[in-house]
Amino acid sequence: MKITLRYLLKNRRTTLLNVLGLAVGMATFLLITDHVQYERSYDQFYEQPEEIFRVNTLWGFEGEEERYATTPPPLAEAIRNEIPEVEAVCRVFYWSDFTMRADNDLGKVFRETKAYAVDKDFFEVLDYGLIAGDPATAFVEPASVVLPRSTAVRYFGEAAVRDGKVLGRQLLGGKDAGTPWKITGVMEDQPANSHLQFTMLISACTYPDDLYRNQVWTWNVMHTYLRTKALTPGAREQLQAKLKNIAETKTLPNMPMAASNPELLAKANFDFPLQAITAIHLTSNYLREMRPNGNVTYVQLFLWAAYLVLFMAIINFINLATAQATRRATETSVRKILGASYGSLVRQHLSESVATTVLAAGLSLLLIVAWQEGAAQWMGATIKGDALLQPIFWTKLLGLCLFTGLAAGAYPALFLSRSTTMNALRGRQVKLISDYNLRNSLLVVQLVLSMALMAGSWLIYQQVAYFQNKELGFAKNNLLVIENDREIEERKDVFKEELLRHPGITQVGFSNGLPGQPTYQMRDFRAEGKSEGTGLNWILADATFLPTLDLELLAGTNFKLGNSRDSLGVILNEAAVKQLELTNPIGQVLIKNEGNDDEERLQVIGVVKDFHLQSLHQEIQPLAFCYFKDFVYKDYISVRLSDEDIAGAIAHVENSWSAFEPGVPLRYSFLDENYNELFKSEVQLSKLFGVFTLLACFIAGLGLFGLVSLLLTERVKEIGIRKVLGASLGQIVLLLSRQFLLLLLVAFLLVVPLFWYGSTEWLQNFAYRIDLTPTPLLGAGMGVLLLAAVTVGIRATQAALANPVEALKND
């Protein structure tokens, strides 16, 4: 260790370059692997999570299919009765928003927008965290509610929760606090790494007709979970076969076109596929998800990028070690003459390598602490302060030190110690791999990785910018959205007039759907005279909704206020016209939900230009607008703000709401922020790859600087002789830089097919995407060229400007 420390201090520049490079690589690796571990830990906190599944819905017709994260209401009961290997099954269902007060403080009013109705068997399936109450009876009685700890503290205070004085108390719901809800349980808050987030759970039997006993097999609205006995692969296949049988015997016969077109049903593919609850977050982006999920591809990309950054740091170490090999040849030979064995030389090299990584690990800890806040913004979750005190973190750090030290020191330890004494004293070494070829190969790999990361970062940025700037077909900016939930009903028109009194508010519209939502209602529509119908996204909208969103009407007219004919009118988008095969759509009659209680004959009165209702990952879906004539369980008020006095307009909205609904808290958001959540993963990916690119360029720059410095040390006399013989500064710099320019060209040729293949595959994830052009590749090539030119050029210029007398005086 004494010799090791002496060597590291003697070679301060090389030690500093190695420590900096390895520290950046190790800190990046630890941050990213912690993030990846967090992403993969979703829903692992349940008891025996491998036995919990969510049931999804697959609807397929003639090669086209739709996957839903939800199922019809009667499925749960069918599973209980027909599949004995299922131990328990429960449904989770969003019913509506709730206005709630604690029984001892009617003046403190809360608006609950994440309340879910659940079956009585909820805790038999999702068994996490009940700290007060009986799990078997918590949801048996109507109007029962279970509160997470944070919600209970919000209503009753920390002391009441701590002392167990919440169970049995009441929440008073409604505008007038006239609906009592009994608290039958208190549970721990759902961990952040859960796909299911809620502020309260209520008993589903509170709504027996609409929810608990609903028998509509085509209404995909409930998230259904089940717990099984331990399943072998064969047993899971049998369970899946039974679910498919339920789909074919119960759902298919109830489809609207079952009677009119049995031939179509014969070609249909219906199923209720199982999905492990631990796989939902990273592998599920179906229709009607509870919340936006992660992306397993992006998580894998993060992990690969972390490995690449660490690998580049190790390459630097190996390159610098091989560049120093000739300088250390005499040292090695003297050690052998004095009796050093091959094993002792190997241990010496490895101790130097491990000592360097230990120093780098200490610096990496400082970098992790410094980067924590920024990393949390880039990734959404990262190493927290208390995690640094956990044994698992130090185990990972120690393992990384040993792995990195041994990996980086393996070549110099095993191969460079194998030279014979005479060859070493003559300045020659016997190695399995030529130093020159090894260094060049590793440098090419490093340049390829730097260019690939830079080009990939550029491409991702272009796609994200395309998402953010693409014309969506509606005006998303300056649009305030109020979550109404039936509060403003009969007084809709009066409320609109009140809002429009402010000059900063230009339009107000009511609807039960908006762009950017995770779920939409669907209805079956059949054109009169046609035998087949089709499912369309369905939104109720009033006469001012279309102009509030600035939707373009291509044909026909909008709904008109007070026009009774429009109450039976329908407005389609272009995709719906195409789906229904309507040549002249205006005036055509459509039958909605034929054979069901809400069947209607509607006349097409208008066609709007296609707009992006959902994410740009998906093609524009067919959509039908019907007139907003009846209240719905969840609706929205869209308020168009002008660019002037936005703060004043928002204050007017708040005051108007308080005047109309004094006992109901106002909840609002902005449509552009809500819509941007749909490509949050891509924005995160863009930021991270930008950071990876900077780190990779930093490490590559350190490596180039150190490598050039060591190589120039070997050519000091050559440079001096050339200057004495009349070589100019430019000639010497070009001579010294030519080798690196050639390697850069080789790296560019290698990265072209890799980038083109990877980019093409990634862009296939988007229905709307940029055109793949050479710009990112060329930009990356120029960027790395600039990095190499600056790094190599500075050191080459310094060497060329040195006094040749200093280089030659010893000879």
Side-chain angles (χ1 to χ4, degrees):
M1 291 305 300
K2 182 177 179 180
I3 296 172
T4 294
L5 293 176
R6 183 183 299 166
Y7 169 79
L8 295 179
L9 289 173
K10 180 181 178 181
N11 298 275
R12 293 183 183 86
R13 176 186 289 172
T14 303
T15 301
L16 179 61
L17 293 175
N18 279 329
V19 168
L20 273 176
L22 288 172
V24 170
M26 293 170 72
T28 303
F29 184 82
L30 287 170
L31 285 168
I32 296 299
T33 52
D34 188 79
H35 171 69
V36 170
Q37 182 180 357
Y38 175 81
E39 288 288 295
R40 291 176 173 174
S41 70
Y42 265 69
D43 299 302
Q44 297 277 3
F45 51 85
Y46 295 109
E47 183 179 350
Q48 297 177 314
E50 69 279 0
E51 297 181 358
I52 305 175
F53 298 88
R54 186 180 72 183
V55 187
N56 301 316
T57 299
L58 168 65
W59 286 8
F61 288 103
E62 298 181 339
E64 296 185 3
E65 64 179 36
E66 291 182 340
R67 291 181 179 268
Y68 295 84
T70 50
T71 59
L75 176 64
E77 191 61 29
I79 292 174
R80 290 189 190 100
N81 295 332
E82 301 180 23
I83 308 181
E85 54 262 48
V86 172
E87 293 185 330
V89 59
C90 73
R91 301 169 300 176
V92 179
F93 178 67
Y94 172 79
W95 180 247
S96 67
D97 295 348
F98 293 87
T99 300
M100 293 287 198
R101 302 162 176 82
D103 55 11
N104 64 332
D105 189 354
L106 300 185
K108 186 186 293 185
V109 186
F110 296 98
R111 186 72 168 170
E112 303 295 346
T113 61
K114 292 183 179 179
Y116 288 95
V118 300
D119 286 336
K120 60 183 179 65
D121 294 336
F122 178 83
F123 286 112
E124 291 188 37
V125 181
L126 305 173
D127 53 4
Y128 174 78
L130 191 66
I131 55 179
D134 184 352
T137 61
F139 299 112
V140 170
E141 297 296 328
S144 299
V145 59
V146 172
L147 300 180
R149 181 190 292 271
S150 60
T151 304
V153 169
R154 179 154 47 92
Y155 280 98
F156 302 105
E158 181 69 45
V161 175
R162 183 182 60 250
D163 298 338
K165 296 180 179 180
V166 174
L167 203 66
R169 296 181 65 172
Q170 289 185 335
L171 295 179
L172 303 177
K175 301 178 185 179
D176 56 357
T179 305
W181 294 82
K182 183 180 179 181
I183 298 173
T184 55
V186 178
M187 63 184 296
E188 295 289 356
D189 292 337
Q190 288 291 102
N193 57 342
S194 170
H195 81 284
L196 174 60
Q197 299 291 335
F198 50 82
T199 56
M200 63 174 55
L201 299 175
I202 62 175
S203 54
C205 60
T206 308
Y207 308 101
D209 296 327
D210 296 309
L211 175 64
Y212 202 60
R213 292 193 292 266
N214 190 295
Q215 293 298 307
V216 178
W217 278 95
T218 56
W219 189 30
N220 284 335
V221 292
M222 295 186 174
H223 293 85
T224 301
Y225 300 88
L226 55 85
R227 179 180 286 276
T228 67
K229 300 166 185 174
L231 291 178
T232 63
R236 179 169 175 173
E237 290 179 5
Q238 293 177 1
L239 175 56
Q240 187 62 70
K242 293 180 179 180
L243 288 168
K244 184 172 180 61
N245 180 65
I246 292 175
E248 293 176 345
T249 58
K250 298 185 183 298
T251 302
L252 272 177
N254 286 282
M255 294 300 293
M257 70 288 290
S260 60
N261 198 341
E263 296 82 7
L264 181 62
L265 291 183
K267 304 176 184 178
N269 178 27
F270 273 41
D271 199 357
F272 293 121
L274 290 172
Q275 182 175 34
I277 192 171
T278 53
I280 290 174
H281 176 65
L282 288 182
T283 64
S284 179
N285 283 290
Y286 300 152
L287 298 172
R288 299 181 180 173
E289 292 283 355
M290 283 190 168
R291 57 187 295 203
N293 287 322
N295 187 306
V296 65
T297 302
Y298 294 170
V299 169
Q300 290 171 343
L301 283 175
F302 296 160
L303 190 58
W304 274 108
Y307 280 120
L308 292 180
V309 171
L310 181 62
F311 182 50
M312 290 179 68
I314 294 175
I315 286 177
N316 274 357
F317 192 104
I318 296 175
N319 265 344
L320 293 177
T322 55
Q324 287 181 299
T326 302
R327 300 176 62 192
R328 302 192 67 182
T330 304
E331 172 197 339
T332 301
S333 65
V334 170
R335 289 180 182 280
K336 286 191 173 184
I337 290 173
L338 294 176
S341 66
Y342 175 71
S344 67
L345 292 174
V346 168
R347 288 193 296 272
Q348 183 63 44
H349 281 293
L350 289 179
S351 68
E352 293 169 4
S353 175
V354 173
T356 303
T357 59
V358 170
L359 293 174
L363 181 57
S364 72
L365 288 175
L366 298 178
L367 292 177
I368 287 173
V369 174
W371 291 353
Q372 274 185 346
E373 184 175 347
Q377 295 176 356
W378 303 330
M379 296 182 290
T382 185
I383 294 178
K384 305 297 187 296
D386 58 349
L388 300 179
L389 304 177
Q390 301 300 319
I392 184 64
F393 174 79
W394 290 99
T395 301
K396 286 170 59 176
L397 184 62
L398 177 61
L400 188 58
C401 275
L402 293 175
F403 169 78
T404 305
L406 295 177
Y411 178 79
L414 298 176
F415 299 151
L416 305 188
S417 300
R418 201 174 273 185
S419 61
T420 64
T421 303
M422 291 304 296
N423 282 336
L425 289 173
R426 292 170 183 165
R428 298 195 301 270
Q429 293 176 293
V430 179
K431 299 177 286 295
L432 298 181
I433 305 174
S434 164
D435 278 354
Y436 181 82
N437 292 335
L438 176 65
R439 287 200 301 266
N440 286 348
S441 299
L442 293 177
L443 187 57
V444 167
V445 170
Q446 199 171 51
L447 292 173
V448 166
L449 296 179
S450 298
M451 277 190 277
L453 284 172
M454 191 176 292
S457 179
W458 194 327
L459 177 81
I460 295 167
Y461 172 79
Q462 286 182 316
Q463 180 66 23
V464 171
Y466 175 79
F467 272 10
Q468 293 173 326
N469 300 321
K470 187 181 186 304
E471 179 61 46
L472 299 173
F474 64 92
K476 68 175 181 177
N477 295 325
N478 291 350
L479 191 69
L480 183 145
V481 176
I482 300 173
E483 297 185 26
N484 186 39
D485 191 41
R486 303 179 305 196
E487 303 299 343
I488 305 290
E489 292 179 14
E490 294 83 0
R491 298 183 294 168
K492 293 196 304 289
D493 296 331
V494 180
F495 185 68
K496 280 186 188 180
E497 292 175 3
E498 179 61 30
L499 292 181
L500 291 170
R501 292 180 186 276
H502 193 279
I505 297 176
T506 59
Q507 293 279 3
V508 180
F510 280 72
S511 67
N512 73 331
L514 287 167
Q517 291 180 293
T519 63
Y520 296 92
Q521 297 187 56
M522 293 190 72
R523 296 293 185 270
D524 183 76
F525 288 84
R526 180 177 66 84
E528 193 172 49
K530 303 240 176 151
S531 59
E532 298 178 12
T534 186
L536 304 180
N537 287 321
W538 178 72
I539 290 180
L540 295 176
D542 67 3
T544 54
F545 176 75
L546 268 63
T548 300
L549 264 70
D550 198 20
L551 298 177
E552 182 179 347
L553 199 64
L554 297 177
T557 62
N558 186 17
F559 301 119
K560 295 182 179 64
L561 186 64
N563 190 332
S564 60
R565 182 182 67 86
D566 285 354
S567 66
L568 293 176
V570 61
I571 298 175
L572 306 175
N573 69 349
E574 295 173 278
V577 171
K578 181 179 179 181
Q579 182 79 12
L580 292 168
E581 299 179 349
L582 302 177
T583 305
N584 298 303
I586 304 301
Q588 295 272 4
V589 174
L590 304 179
I591 295 92
K592 175 176 75 76
N593 269 19
E594 187 173 10
N596 292 305
D597 294 339
D598 59 343
E599 177 181 337
E600 287 182 306
R601 288 174 56 84
L602 305 172
Q603 187 176 46
V604 180
I605 64 171
V607 177
V608 297
K609 185 177 181 179
D610 278 343
F611 65 98
H612 290 277
L613 187 67
Q614 296 168 306
S615 166
L616 294 175
H617 295 80
Q618 302 167 336
E619 297 280 355
I620 292 176
Q621 298 296 310
L623 172 67
F625 289 103
C626 289
Y627 189 65
F628 194 112
K629 55 183 179 291
D630 297 318
F631 77 87
V632 290
Y633 75 92
K634 179 75 173 181
D635 62 295
Y636 305 90
I637 307 173
S638 301
V639 182
R640 171 67 61 191
L641 308 179
S642 66
D643 291 329
E644 300 179 1
D645 194 19
I646 292 179
I650 294 175
H652 179 69
V653 170
E654 293 172 341
N655 293 333
S656 299
W657 181 271
S658 297
F660 275 72
E661 298 295 338
V664 180
L666 171 67
R667 290 187 61 88
Y668 68 85
S669 59
F670 286 91
L671 185 63
D672 57 345
E673 296 175 357
N674 298 338
Y675 195 86
N676 289 345
E677 284 291 311
L678 298 178
F679 49 91
K680 181 179 178 181
S681 294
E682 282 71 36
V683 174
Q684 182 189 68
L685 185 68
S686 177
K687 290 179 180 178
L688 272 176
F689 260 74
V691 172
F692 289 148
T693 300
L694 291 176
L695 294 176
C697 289
F698 174 75
I699 292 174
L702 288 178
L704 279 171
F705 185 84
L707 187 60
V708 172
S709 299
L710 291 173
L711 294 181
L712 289 179
T713 302
E714 298 176 2
R715 303 181 69 174
V716 167
K717 292 182 175 59
E718 175 193 345
I719 295 169
I721 293 172
R722 289 183 181 276
K723 289 192 70 175
V724 169
L725 294 176
S728 67
L729 173 64
Q731 288 174 326
I732 293 177
V733 171
L734 180 61
L735 173 70
L736 298 176
S737 305
R738 186 168 53 193
Q739 170 190 349
F740 295 98
L741 293 176
L742 179 62
L743 295 178
L744 182 63
L745 177 61
V746 172
F748 182 79
L749 295 177
L750 289 175
V751 84
V752 168
L754 295 175
F755 171 79
W756 209 264
Y757 173 77
S759 301
T760 302
E761 289 296 310
W762 181 68
L763 288 173
Q764 295 303 315
N765 293 315
F766 309 100
Y768 301 91
R769 52 187 177 265
I770 61 173
D771 295 325
L772 188 57
T773 66
T775 303
L777 268 177
L778 296 176
M782 293 300 296
V784 175
L785 175 62
L786 180 62
L787 173 69
V790 171
T791 307
V792 178
I794 290 175
R795 291 297 295 129
T797 301
Q798 288 176 343
L801 289 174
N803 188 346
V805 173
E806 297 295 328
L808 298 175
K809 65 181 182 181
N810 291 332
D811 290 343

